[in-house]
Amino acid sequence: MSRLLLVLLVLDAALLAVLELFFLPLYVGGTIPFPVTVLLAALTTPLLVRLAGRLVAPRAAFAPLVAWVLVIVIVGLFGPGGDLVLLQDWRALLLIAGGALPAAMSLGGALAVPPKKGAASRG
């Protein structure tokens, strides 16, 4: 059951990365760039990492983050039909930083689970 849950969390991270890439070039009123997907990435990617760490295993917490980064890079640079989906401006950097940095902090928190009481006394 935990492997299925991990697969679902990784799939969710991959689908969110594609969604965030495709909606990154949104404009408000036709003139103002509005990268709302950066906020989506900053909220959902750490959540997926935390869920994987709690529900599956602390060491499995890296899987959604790795899937998200791989999809951003692969689909962003070699998109459908060979198109470059990742924008060549500040919004791309904001998306990568907004998704990866909070998720990396959540990953550190998930991996910092204290050892069980009996494990430290075995020397």
Side-chain angles (χ1 to χ4, degrees):
M1 182 67 180
S2 63
R3 285 186 183 178
L4 177 64
L5 185 59
L6 184 61
V7 167
L8 288 174
L9 290 171
V10 167
L11 182 64
D12 191 26
L15 291 174
L16 280 167
V18 170
L19 178 82
E20 291 156 3
L21 271 173
F22 287 159
F23 284 99
L24 186 61
L26 283 179
Y27 279 84
V28 173
T31 57
I32 302 170
F34 187 66
V36 69
T37 59
V38 173
L39 180 62
L40 181 68
L43 293 175
T44 58
T45 310
L47 177 69
L48 293 172
V49 168
R50 229 175 297 128
L51 284 174
R54 280 188 196 155
L55 300 176
V56 179
R59 289 188 174 207
F62 74 93
L65 177 58
V66 169
W68 186 86
V69 169
L70 284 176
V71 169
I72 290 289
V73 170
I74 292 170
V75 174
L77 298 178
F78 311 106
D83 293 335
L84 185 68
V85 179
L86 194 60
L87 300 174
Q88 301 296 311
D89 64 0
W90 59 272
R91 292 175 284 178
L93 293 175
L94 193 63
L95 176 67
I96 293 169
L101 293 178
M105 291 177 66
S106 288
L107 178 63
L111 292 176
V113 174
K116 298 186 183 195
K117 290 186 179 186
S121 63
R122 290 185 229 153

